[in-house]
Every structure is written in structure tokens, then in C-alpha cells.
Coordinates of all heavy atoms in Angstrom, one line a residue:
M1 N -14.1 -5.9 12.7 CA -12.8 -5.5 13.4 C -13.0 -4.8 14.7 O -13.9 -3.9 14.8 CB -12.0 -4.7 12.4 CG -10.5 -4.7 12.7 SD -9.6 -3.6 11.7 CE -9.3 -4.6 10.2
K2 N -12.3 -5.2 15.7 CA -12.5 -4.6 17.0 C -12.0 -3.2 17.0 O -11.2 -2.8 16.2 CB -11.9 -5.4 18.1 CG -10.4 -5.6 18.0 CD -9.9 -6.5 19.1 CE -8.4 -6.5 19.2 NZ -7.7 -7.0 18.0
K3 N -12.5 -2.4 18.0 CA -12.0 -1.0 18.1 C -10.5 -1.0 18.6 O -10.1 -1.7 19.5 CB -12.9 -0.3 19.2 CG -14.1 0.4 18.5 CD -14.0 1.8 18.8 CE -15.1 2.5 18.0 NZ -14.8 3.9 17.8
L4 N -9.7 -0.2 17.9 CA -8.3 -0.1 18.3 C -8.0 1.3 18.7 O -8.6 2.2 18.2 CB -7.5 -0.5 17.1 CG -7.6 -1.9 16.5 CD1 -6.8 -2.1 15.2 CD2 -7.1 -3.0 17.5
S5 N -7.0 1.4 19.5 CA -6.5 2.7 19.8 C -5.5 3.1 18.7 O -5.2 2.2 17.8 CB -5.7 2.7 21.1 OG -4.5 2.0 21.0
K6 N -5.1 4.3 18.6 CA -4.3 4.8 17.5 C -2.9 4.0 17.5 O -2.5 3.5 16.4 CB -4.0 6.3 17.6 CG -3.3 6.7 16.3 CD -3.2 8.2 16.2 CE -2.5 8.6 14.9 NZ -2.3 10.0 14.7
T7 N -2.4 3.8 18.7 CA -1.1 3.0 18.7 C -1.3 1.6 18.3 O -0.5 1.0 17.5 CB -0.6 3.0 20.2 OG1 -0.9 4.2 20.8 CG2 0.9 2.8 20.2
E8 N -2.4 1.0 18.7 CA -2.7 -0.4 18.3 C -2.9 -0.5 16.8 O -2.5 -1.4 16.1 CB -3.9 -0.9 19.0 CG -3.7 -1.4 20.4 CD -4.9 -1.6 21.2 OE1 -6.0 -1.1 20.8 OE2 -4.9 -2.4 22.2
A9 N -3.6 0.5 16.2 CA -3.8 0.6 14.8 C -2.5 0.7 14.0 O -2.3 0.0 13.0 CB -4.7 1.7 14.4
E10 N -1.6 1.6 14.5 CA -0.3 1.7 13.9 C 0.5 0.4 13.9 O 1.1 0.1 12.9 CB 0.5 2.8 14.6 CG 0.1 4.2 14.2 CD 0.8 5.3 15.0 OE1 1.2 5.0 16.2 OE2 0.8 6.5 14.6
E11 N 0.4 -0.3 15.0 CA 1.1 -1.5 15.1 C 0.5 -2.6 14.1 O 1.3 -3.2 13.5 CB 0.9 -2.0 16.6 CG 1.9 -3.1 17.0 CD 3.4 -2.7 16.8 OE1 3.7 -1.5 17.1 OE2 4.1 -3.5 16.4
E12 N -0.8 -2.6 14.1 CA -1.4 -3.5 13.2 C -1.1 -3.2 11.7 O -0.8 -4.1 10.9 CB -2.9 -3.4 13.4 CG -3.7 -4.3 12.5 CD -4.8 -5.0 13.2 OE1 -4.7 -5.1 14.5 OE2 -5.7 -5.5 12.6
I13 N -1.0 -1.9 11.4 CA -0.7 -1.5 10.0 C 0.8 -1.9 9.7 O 1.1 -2.4 8.6 CB -0.9 0.0 9.8 CG1 -2.4 0.3 9.8 CG2 -0.3 0.5 8.5 CD1 -2.8 1.7 10.1
K14 N 1.7 -1.7 10.6 CA 3.1 -2.0 10.4 C 3.2 -3.5 10.2 O 3.9 -3.9 9.2 CB 3.9 -1.6 11.7 CG 5.3 -1.1 11.4 CD 6.0 -0.8 12.7 CE 7.0 -2.0 13.0 NZ 7.4 -2.0 14.4
E15 N 2.6 -4.3 11.0 CA 2.7 -5.8 10.8 C 2.1 -6.2 9.5 O 2.6 -7.1 8.8 CB 1.9 -6.5 12.0 CG 2.8 -6.8 13.1 CD 2.0 -7.3 14.3 OE1 1.1 -8.2 14.1 OE2 2.3 -6.9 15.4
F16 N 1.0 -5.6 9.2 CA 0.3 -5.9 7.9 C 1.2 -5.7 6.7 O 1.3 -6.6 5.8 CB -1.0 -5.0 7.8 CG -1.8 -5.3 6.6 CD1 -2.8 -6.2 6.6 CD2 -1.5 -4.6 5.4 CE1 -3.6 -6.5 5.5 CE2 -2.3 -4.9 4.2 CZ -3.3 -5.8 4.3
F17 N 1.9 -4.6 6.7 CA 2.7 -4.3 5.5 C 4.0 -5.1 5.5 O 4.6 -5.2 4.4 CB 3.0 -2.8 5.5 CG 1.9 -2.0 4.8 CD1 0.9 -1.4 5.6 CD2 1.8 -1.9 3.5 CE1 -0.1 -0.7 5.0 CE2 0.8 -1.2 2.8 CZ -0.2 -0.6 3.6
E18 N 4.4 -5.7 6.6 CA 5.5 -6.6 6.5 C 5.2 -7.8 5.7 O 6.1 -8.5 5.2 CB 6.0 -6.9 8.0 CG 6.9 -5.9 8.6 CD 7.1 -6.0 10.1 OE1 6.7 -7.1 10.6 OE2 7.6 -5.1 10.7
K19 N 3.9 -8.2 5.7 CA 3.5 -9.4 5.0 C 2.6 -9.0 3.9 O 1.7 -9.8 3.5 CB 2.9 -10.3 6.0 CG 3.8 -10.9 7.0 CD 3.1 -11.8 8.0 CE 3.4 -11.4 9.4 NZ 2.2 -11.3 10.3
I20 N 2.8 -7.9 3.3 CA 1.8 -7.4 2.3 C 1.6 -8.4 1.1 O 0.6 -8.5 0.5 CB 2.1 -6.0 1.8 CG1 0.9 -5.5 1.0 CG2 3.4 -5.9 1.1 CD1 0.6 -4.0 1.1
Q21 N 2.7 -9.0 0.7 CA 2.7 -9.9 -0.4 C 1.7 -11.1 -0.3 O 1.3 -11.7 -1.2 CB 4.1 -10.5 -0.8 CG 5.0 -9.5 -1.3 CD 4.5 -8.8 -2.6 OE1 3.8 -9.3 -3.4 NE2 4.8 -7.5 -2.7
T22 N 1.3 -11.4 1.0 CA 0.4 -12.5 1.2 C -1.1 -12.0 1.3 O -2.0 -12.7 1.6 CB 0.7 -13.2 2.5 OG1 0.6 -12.4 3.6 CG2 2.2 -13.7 2.4
K23 N -1.3 -10.6 1.2 CA -2.6 -10.1 1.5 C -3.4 -9.9 0.2 O -2.9 -9.8 -0.9 CB -2.4 -8.7 2.1 CG -1.6 -8.7 3.3 CD -2.1 -9.5 4.5 CE -1.2 -9.3 5.7 NZ -1.6 -10.2 6.8
T24 N -4.7 -9.9 0.4 CA -5.6 -9.8 -0.8 C -6.0 -8.3 -0.9 O -5.9 -7.5 0.1 CB -6.9 -10.6 -0.6 OG1 -7.5 -10.1 0.6 CG2 -6.6 -12.0 -0.4
P25 N -6.4 -7.8 -2.1 CA -6.8 -6.5 -2.3 C -7.9 -6.0 -1.3 O -7.9 -4.9 -0.8 CB -7.3 -6.4 -3.7 CG -6.5 -7.5 -4.4 CD -6.3 -8.6 -3.4
K26 N -8.7 -6.9 -1.0 CA -9.8 -6.6 0.0 C -9.3 -6.3 1.3 O -9.7 -5.3 2.0 CB -10.7 -7.9 0.1 CG -12.1 -7.6 0.4 CD -13.0 -8.8 0.4 CE -14.2 -8.7 1.2 NZ -14.9 -10.0 1.3
K27 N -8.3 -7.0 1.8 CA -7.7 -6.7 3.1 C -6.9 -5.4 3.1 O -6.8 -4.7 4.0 CB -6.8 -7.9 3.5 CG -7.6 -9.0 4.0 CD -6.7 -10.1 4.6 CE -7.5 -11.2 5.2 NZ -6.7 -12.5 5.4
I28 N -6.2 -5.1 1.9 CA -5.5 -3.9 1.8 C -6.4 -2.7 1.9 O -6.1 -1.7 2.5 CB -4.6 -3.9 0.5 CG1 -3.6 -5.1 0.6 CG2 -4.0 -2.6 0.3 CD1 -2.8 -5.3 -0.7
K29 N -7.5 -2.8 1.2 CA -8.5 -1.8 1.2 C -9.0 -1.5 2.7 O -9.1 -0.4 3.1 CB -9.8 -2.2 0.4 CG -10.3 -1.1 -0.5 CD -11.5 -1.7 -1.2 CE -11.4 -1.3 -2.7 NZ -12.5 -2.0 -3.5
K30 N -9.1 -2.6 3.4 CA -9.6 -2.5 4.8 C -8.5 -1.8 5.7 O -8.9 -1.0 6.5 CB -9.8 -3.9 5.3 CG -11.0 -4.1 6.2 CD -11.3 -5.5 6.4 CE -12.1 -5.8 7.6 NZ -12.3 -7.3 7.8
I31 N -7.3 -2.2 5.5 CA -6.2 -1.6 6.3 C -6.1 -0.1 6.0 O -5.7 0.7 6.8 CB -4.9 -2.4 6.2 CG1 -4.1 -2.3 7.5 CG2 -4.0 -1.9 5.0 CD1 -4.5 -3.3 8.5
K32 N -6.3 0.2 4.7 CA -6.2 1.6 4.3 C -7.3 2.5 5.0 O -7.1 3.6 5.5 CB -6.4 1.8 2.8 CG -5.8 3.0 2.2 CD -6.1 3.2 0.8 CE -5.8 4.6 0.4 NZ -6.5 4.9 -0.9
R33 N -8.5 1.8 5.1 CA -9.6 2.5 5.8 C -9.3 2.7 7.3 O -9.6 3.7 7.8 CB -10.9 1.7 5.6 CG -11.8 2.2 4.5 CD -13.2 1.9 4.8 NE -13.5 0.5 5.1 CZ -13.8 -0.5 4.2 NH1 -13.9 -0.2 2.9 NH2 -13.9 -1.7 4.5
L34 N -8.7 1.7 7.8 CA -8.3 1.7 9.2 C -7.3 2.9 9.5 O -7.4 3.7 10.4 CB -7.6 0.4 9.6 CG -7.0 0.3 11.1 CD1 -8.1 0.2 12.1 CD2 -6.1 -0.9 11.2
A35 N -6.3 3.0 8.6 CA -5.4 4.1 8.7 C -6.1 5.5 8.6 O -5.8 6.4 9.3 CB -4.3 4.0 7.6
M36 N -7.0 5.6 7.6 CA -7.7 6.8 7.4 C -8.5 7.2 8.7 O -8.6 8.3 9.1 CB -8.6 6.7 6.2 CG -7.9 7.0 4.9 SD -8.8 6.4 3.5 CE -10.2 7.6 3.5
R37 N -9.2 6.2 9.2 CA -10.0 6.4 10.4 C -9.2 6.9 11.6 O -9.7 7.7 12.4 CB -10.7 5.1 10.8 CG -12.0 5.3 11.6 CD -12.9 4.1 11.5 NE -12.3 2.9 11.8 CZ -12.4 1.7 11.1 NH1 -13.2 1.7 10.1 NH2 -11.8 0.6 11.5
H38 N -8.0 6.5 11.7 CA -7.1 6.9 12.8 C -6.2 8.0 12.4 O -5.3 8.4 13.2 CB -6.3 5.7 13.3 CG -7.1 4.7 14.0 ND1 -7.4 4.8 15.4 CD2 -7.7 3.6 13.6 CE1 -8.2 3.7 15.7 NE2 -8.4 3.0 14.7
N39 N -6.4 8.5 11.2 CA -5.6 9.6 10.8 C -4.1 9.3 10.7 O -3.2 10.1 11.1 CB -5.8 10.8 11.7 CG -6.0 12.1 10.9 OD1 -5.6 12.1 9.7 ND2 -6.5 13.1 11.5
I40 N -3.8 8.0 10.3 CA -2.4 7.6 10.2 C -2.0 7.7 8.7 O -2.7 7.2 7.8 CB -2.3 6.1 10.7 CG1 -2.7 6.0 12.1 CG2 -0.9 5.6 10.4 CD1 -3.0 4.6 12.6
K41 N -0.9 8.4 8.6 CA -0.4 8.6 7.2 C 0.4 7.3 6.8 O 1.3 6.9 7.5 CB 0.5 9.8 7.1 CG -0.3 11.1 7.2 CD 0.4 12.2 6.4 CE -0.5 13.4 6.2 NZ -0.8 14.0 7.5
L42 N 0.1 6.8 5.6 CA 0.8 5.6 5.2 C 2.2 6.0 4.5 O 3.1 5.2 4.6 CB -0.1 4.8 4.1 CG -1.3 4.1 4.7 CD1 -2.1 3.4 3.6 CD2 -0.9 3.2 5.8
G43 N 2.3 7.1 4.0 CA 3.5 7.6 3.4 C 4.1 6.6 2.4 O 3.4 6.3 1.4
E44 N 5.3 6.1 2.6 CA 6.0 5.2 1.7 C 5.2 3.9 1.6 O 5.4 3.2 0.5 CB 7.4 4.9 2.3 CG 8.3 6.1 2.2 CD 8.8 6.4 0.8 OE1 9.3 5.5 0.2 OE2 8.7 7.6 0.4
L45 N 4.4 3.5 2.5 CA 3.7 2.3 2.5 C 2.7 2.3 1.3 O 2.3 1.2 0.8 CB 3.0 2.0 3.8 CG 3.9 1.8 5.0 CD1 3.1 1.6 6.3 CD2 4.8 0.6 4.8
R46 N 2.3 3.4 0.9 CA 1.3 3.5 -0.1 C 1.9 3.0 -1.4 O 1.1 2.6 -2.4 CB 0.9 5.0 -0.4 CG -0.1 5.5 0.6 CD -0.6 6.9 0.2 NE 0.5 7.8 0.0 CZ 0.7 8.6 -1.1 NH1 -0.2 8.5 -2.1 NH2 1.7 9.4 -1.2
K47 N 3.2 2.9 -1.5 CA 3.8 2.5 -2.7 C 3.8 1.0 -2.8 O 4.3 0.4 -3.8 CB 5.3 3.0 -2.8 CG 5.3 4.5 -2.8 CD 6.7 5.1 -2.9 CE 6.7 6.6 -2.8 NZ 8.0 7.1 -2.8
K48 N 3.4 0.3 -1.8 CA 3.5 -1.1 -1.7 C 2.2 -1.8 -2.3 O 2.2 -3.0 -2.4 CB 3.7 -1.6 -0.3 CG 5.1 -1.2 0.2 CD 5.4 -1.9 1.4 CE 6.8 -1.5 2.0 NZ 7.9 -1.8 1.2
F49 N 1.3 -1.0 -2.7 CA 0.1 -1.6 -3.4 C -0.4 -0.7 -4.5 O -0.1 0.5 -4.5 CB -1.0 -1.9 -2.3 CG -1.5 -0.7 -1.6 CD1 -2.5 0.1 -2.1 CD2 -0.9 -0.4 -0.3 CE1 -2.9 1.2 -1.4 CE2 -1.3 0.8 0.4 CZ -2.3 1.6 -0.2
C50 N -1.2 -1.3 -5.4 CA -1.7 -0.6 -6.5 C -2.8 0.4 -6.0 O -3.7 -0.1 -5.3 CB -2.3 -1.5 -7.5 SG -3.2 -0.7 -8.9
K51 N -2.8 1.6 -6.4 CA -3.8 2.6 -5.9 C -5.1 2.4 -6.6 O -6.1 2.9 -6.2 CB -3.3 4.0 -6.0 CG -3.1 4.5 -7.4 CD -2.7 6.0 -7.4 CE -2.4 6.4 -8.8 NZ -1.8 7.7 -8.9
K52 N -5.1 1.6 -7.7 CA -6.4 1.4 -8.4 C -7.1 0.2 -7.9 O -8.3 0.2 -7.7 CB -6.1 1.3 -9.9 CG -6.3 2.5 -10.6 CD -6.5 2.2 -12.1 CE -7.0 3.4 -12.9 NZ -6.8 3.2 -14.3
C53 N -6.4 -0.9 -7.9 CA -7.1 -2.2 -7.5 C -6.6 -2.8 -6.2 O -7.1 -3.8 -5.8 CB -6.9 -3.2 -8.6 SG -5.3 -3.9 -8.7
F54 N -5.7 -2.1 -5.5 CA -5.2 -2.5 -4.2 C -4.4 -3.8 -4.2 O -4.3 -4.5 -3.2 CB -6.3 -2.5 -3.2 CG -6.9 -1.2 -2.9 CD1 -8.1 -0.8 -3.6 CD2 -6.3 -0.3 -2.0 CE1 -8.6 0.4 -3.4 CE2 -6.9 0.9 -1.8 CZ -8.0 1.3 -2.5
S55 N -4.0 -4.2 -5.4 CA -3.2 -5.5 -5.5 C -1.8 -5.2 -5.0 O -1.2 -4.2 -5.3 CB -3.2 -6.0 -6.9 OG -2.1 -6.9 -7.0
P56 N -1.1 -6.1 -4.2 CA 0.3 -5.9 -3.8 C 1.2 -6.4 -4.9 O 2.5 -6.3 -4.7 CB 0.4 -6.7 -2.5 CG -0.6 -7.8 -2.7 CD -1.7 -7.3 -3.7
R57 N 0.7 -6.9 -6.0 CA 1.6 -7.5 -7.0 C 2.1 -6.5 -8.0 O 1.6 -6.3 -9.0 CB 0.9 -8.7 -7.7 CG 0.5 -9.8 -6.7 CD 0.0 -11.0 -7.5 NE 1.1 -11.4 -8.4 CZ 2.0 -12.3 -8.1 NH1 2.0 -12.8 -6.9 NH2 2.9 -12.7 -9.0
L58 N 3.2 -5.8 -7.5 CA 3.7 -4.7 -8.4 C 5.0 -5.1 -8.9 O 5.8 -5.8 -8.3 CB 3.8 -3.4 -7.5 CG 2.5 -2.9 -6.8 CD1 2.9 -1.7 -6.0 CD2 1.5 -2.6 -7.8
K59 N 5.3 -4.6 -10.1 CA 6.6 -4.9 -10.7 C 7.2 -3.6 -11.2 O 6.6 -2.8 -11.8 CB 6.3 -5.8 -11.9 CG 7.4 -6.7 -12.3 CD 6.9 -7.7 -13.3 CE 7.9 -7.7 -14.5 NZ 7.3 -8.4 -15.6
I60 N 8.5 -3.4 -10.9 CA 9.2 -2.3 -11.4 C 9.5 -2.5 -12.8 O 10.1 -3.5 -13.2 CB 10.5 -2.1 -10.6 CG1 10.2 -1.8 -9.1 CG2 11.3 -0.9 -11.1 CD1 11.4 -1.9 -8.2
I61 N 9.1 -1.6 -13.7 CA 9.4 -1.8 -15.1 C 10.4 -0.9 -15.6 O 10.9 -1.0 -16.8 CB 8.1 -1.6 -16.0 CG1 7.3 -0.3 -15.7 CG2 7.2 -2.8 -15.7 CD1 6.1 -0.1 -16.6
G62 N 10.9 0.1 -14.9 CA 11.9 0.9 -15.3 C 12.2 2.1 -14.5 O 11.3 2.5 -13.7
V63 N 13.4 2.6 -14.6 CA 13.7 3.8 -13.8 C 14.4 4.8 -14.8 O 15.3 4.5 -15.6 CB 14.7 3.5 -12.7 CG1 15.1 4.8 -11.9 CG2 14.2 2.5 -11.7
K64 N 13.8 6.0 -14.9 CA 14.3 7.0 -15.8 C 14.2 8.4 -15.2 O 13.2 8.7 -14.6 CB 13.5 7.0 -17.1 CG 14.2 7.5 -18.3 CD 13.3 7.2 -19.5 CE 13.6 8.1 -20.7 NZ 12.6 7.9 -21.7
N65 N 15.3 9.2 -15.3 CA 15.3 10.5 -14.7 C 14.8 10.5 -13.2 O 14.0 11.4 -12.8 CB 14.4 11.5 -15.5 CG 14.9 11.6 -16.9 OD1 16.1 11.4 -17.2 ND2 14.0 11.8 -17.9
K66 N 15.2 9.5 -12.5 CA 14.8 9.4 -11.1 C 13.4 9.2 -10.9 O 12.8 9.4 -9.8 CB 15.3 10.7 -10.3 CG 16.8 10.7 -10.2 CD 17.2 11.6 -9.0 CE 18.7 11.4 -8.7 NZ 19.2 12.4 -7.7
I67 N 12.7 8.8 -11.9 CA 11.3 8.4 -11.8 C 11.2 6.9 -11.9 O 11.6 6.3 -12.9 CB 10.4 9.1 -12.8 CG1 10.7 10.6 -12.9 CG2 8.9 8.7 -12.7 CD1 9.7 11.4 -12.1
K68 N 10.6 6.3 -10.9 CA 10.5 4.8 -11.0 C 9.1 4.5 -11.5 O 8.1 5.0 -11.1 CB 10.6 4.3 -9.5 CG 11.1 2.9 -9.4 CD 11.0 2.5 -7.9 CE 12.3 2.0 -7.4 NZ 12.1 1.7 -6.0
R69 N 9.1 3.6 -12.5 CA 7.8 3.2 -13.0 C 7.4 1.8 -12.5 O 8.2 0.9 -12.7 CB 7.8 3.3 -14.6 CG 7.8 4.7 -15.0 CD 8.2 4.8 -16.5 NE 7.1 4.4 -17.3 CZ 7.2 3.5 -18.3 NH1 8.4 3.1 -18.6 NH2 6.2 3.2 -19.0
I70 N 6.3 1.7 -12.0 CA 5.8 0.5 -11.4 C 4.5 0.1 -12.0 O 3.6 0.8 -12.0 CB 5.7 0.6 -9.8 CG1 7.1 0.8 -9.3 CG2 5.1 -0.6 -9.2 CD1 7.1 1.5 -8.0
K71 N 4.5 -1.2 -12.4 CA 3.3 -1.7 -13.1 C 2.6 -2.7 -12.2 O 3.2 -3.6 -11.6 CB 3.6 -2.3 -14.4 CG 2.4 -2.6 -15.2 CD 2.9 -3.1 -16.6 CE 1.8 -3.5 -17.5 NZ 2.3 -4.0 -18.8
C72 N 1.3 -2.6 -12.1 CA 0.5 -3.5 -11.4 C 0.3 -4.8 -12.3 O -0.2 -4.6 -13.4 CB -0.8 -2.9 -11.0 SG -2.0 -4.1 -10.3
E73 N 0.6 -5.9 -11.7 CA 0.5 -7.1 -12.6 C -1.0 -7.6 -12.7 O -1.3 -8.4 -13.5 CB 1.3 -8.3 -11.9 CG 2.8 -8.0 -12.0 CD 3.6 -9.2 -11.5 OE1 3.0 -10.1 -10.8 OE2 4.7 -9.3 -11.9
Y74 N -1.8 -7.0 -11.9 CA -3.2 -7.4 -12.0 C -4.0 -6.5 -12.9 O -4.6 -7.0 -13.9 CB -3.8 -7.3 -10.6 CG -5.2 -7.9 -10.5 CD1 -5.4 -9.2 -10.6 CD2 -6.3 -7.0 -10.4 CE1 -6.7 -9.7 -10.6 CE2 -7.6 -7.5 -10.3 CZ -7.8 -8.9 -10.4 OH -9.1 -9.3 -10.4
C75 N -4.0 -5.2 -12.7 CA -4.9 -4.3 -13.5 C -4.0 -3.5 -14.6 O -4.6 -2.8 -15.4 CB -5.7 -3.3 -12.7 SG -4.7 -2.0 -12.0
K76 N -2.7 -3.7 -14.5 CA -1.8 -3.1 -15.5 C -1.7 -1.6 -15.4 O -1.2 -0.9 -16.3 CB -2.2 -3.5 -17.0 CG -2.5 -4.9 -17.2 CD -1.3 -5.8 -17.1 CE -1.7 -7.3 -17.3 NZ -0.8 -8.2 -16.7
N77 N -2.2 -1.1 -14.3 CA -2.0 0.3 -14.0 C -0.5 0.6 -13.8 O 0.2 -0.1 -13.1 CB -2.8 0.7 -12.8 CG -2.7 2.2 -12.5 OD1 -3.1 3.1 -13.3 ND2 -2.2 2.5 -11.3
V78 N 0.0 1.7 -14.4 CA 1.3 2.1 -14.2 C 1.4 3.3 -13.3 O 0.8 4.3 -13.5 CB 2.1 2.4 -15.5 CG1 3.5 2.9 -15.3 CG2 2.1 1.2 -16.4
A79 N 2.2 3.2 -12.2 CA 2.4 4.3 -11.3 C 3.8 4.8 -11.4 O 4.7 4.1 -11.8 CB 2.1 3.8 -9.9
R80 N 3.9 6.1 -11.2 CA 5.3 6.7 -11.2 C 5.6 7.3 -9.9 O 4.8 8.0 -9.3 CB 5.3 7.8 -12.3 CG 5.3 7.2 -13.7 CD 5.1 8.3 -14.7 NE 4.9 7.7 -16.0 CZ 3.8 7.3 -16.5 NH1 2.7 7.4 -15.8 NH2 3.7 6.8 -17.7
W81 N 6.8 6.9 -9.4 CA 7.2 7.4 -8.1 C 8.5 8.1 -8.2 O 9.4 7.6 -8.8 CB 7.3 6.3 -7.1 CG 6.0 5.6 -6.7 CD1 5.6 4.4 -7.1 CD2 4.9 6.2 -5.9 NE1 4.4 4.1 -6.6 CE2 3.9 5.2 -5.9 CE3 4.7 7.4 -5.3 CZ2 2.7 5.3 -5.2 CZ3 3.5 7.5 -4.6 CH2 2.6 6.5 -4.6
K82 N 8.6 9.3 -7.7 CA 9.8 10.1 -7.7 C 10.8 9.4 -6.7 O 10.4 9.1 -5.6 CB 9.6 11.5 -7.3 CG 10.2 12.5 -8.2 CD 9.9 13.9 -7.8 CE 9.2 14.6 -8.9 NZ 8.4 15.8 -8.4
M83 N 12.0 9.2 -7.1 CA 13.0 8.6 -6.1 C 13.7 9.7 -5.4 O 13.9 10.8 -6.0 CB 14.0 7.8 -6.9 CG 13.3 6.5 -7.4 SD 14.4 5.7 -8.7 CE 15.8 5.2 -7.7
K84 N 14.1 9.4 -4.2 CA 14.8 10.4 -3.4 C 16.3 10.2 -3.4 O 16.7 9.1 -3.6 CB 14.3 10.4 -2.0 CG 12.9 11.1 -1.9 CD 12.3 11.0 -0.5 CE 10.8 11.1 -0.5 NZ 10.2 10.0 0.2
Ligands
ZN1 ZN1 -3.8 -2.7 -10.0

């Protein structure tokens, strides 16, 4: 990957996440590294992929007490996100 400025990296990350469903875990891992290298916070974008296997194939399995439970269809890891 070529050297990017922080703004270019941010742009690349934004575009990447718009099409995250078409991305492979390998590419997601790479974009996460890019963000880290440029000190870019992913924030809400972190919820778009599994933190264990980096798969974008997540399924909402339930919402209870304002906690959203999301299951990764690939590794079956369940993540919980507080809703605002
Ligand atoms: Zn997973």
C-alpha cells in the first residue's frame, strides 16, 4: 500500500466502510492497521466488523435493556453494544 497522508487515509477508510459487506477479513484487518498507523479513531465503524475474526457478516440477534447483541455469522462470537 502506498504512503498516504492522514486525510487520504481517512478518505480511504470512509470509502472502505461504505462497501464493507464486500470486503474480506484480511482487508478489514489491513484497514484497521492503516487507521491505527494514522491515529484515526474508527469509533462507530468498529461495530461493522467482528473484533475477533474481522468478518463483516454480523447479525443482530436481539436488543435488551438498550444493549444490542450482535453475532458474527462466521466465528459465532457475540458482541454487545450499548445503544445511545
Ligand atoms: Zn467473527
Side-chain angles (χ1 to χ4, degrees):
M1 202 184 273
K2 62 180 191 300
K3 271 237 171 205
L4 298 172
S5 71
K6 189 173 181 180
T7 327
E8 280 168 339
E10 275 171 341
E11 199 54 40
E12 180 132 342
I13 289 162
K14 214 184 102 202
E15 268 174 41
F16 182 90
F17 276 96
E18 276 167 13
K19 292 177 232 135
I20 189 147
Q21 289 304 325
T22 65
K23 309 293 182 187
T24 61
K26 209 174 157 188
K27 282 186 177 161
I28 295 172
K29 224 179 222 171
K30 216 165 159 186
I31 211 84
K32 203 187 163 197
R33 263 209 307 269
L34 176 75
M36 276 164 70
R37 203 159 52 223
H38 288 275
N39 226 344
I40 296 164
K41 287 212 168 67
L42 291 179
E44 291 287 307
L45 297 175
R46 280 189 304 130
K47 300 179 184 178
K48 296 194 182 291
F49 59 87
C50 173
K51 65 177 176 187
K52 260 198 168 167
C53 71
F54 297 95
S55 163
R57 299 191 56 91
L58 304 175
K59 209 171 127 193
I60 298 167
I61 52 172
V63 180
K64 204 173 158 189
N65 301 328
K66 290 199 169 175
I67 309 263
K68 206 188 231 175
R69 289 168 70 226
I70 292 155
K71 189 174 182 181
C72 170
E73 291 188 339
Y74 186 74
C75 74
K76 314 293 178 204
N77 179 61
V78 177
R80 289 171 184 83
W81 294 109
K82 228 179 242 159
M83 290 165 65
K84 283 177 207 131

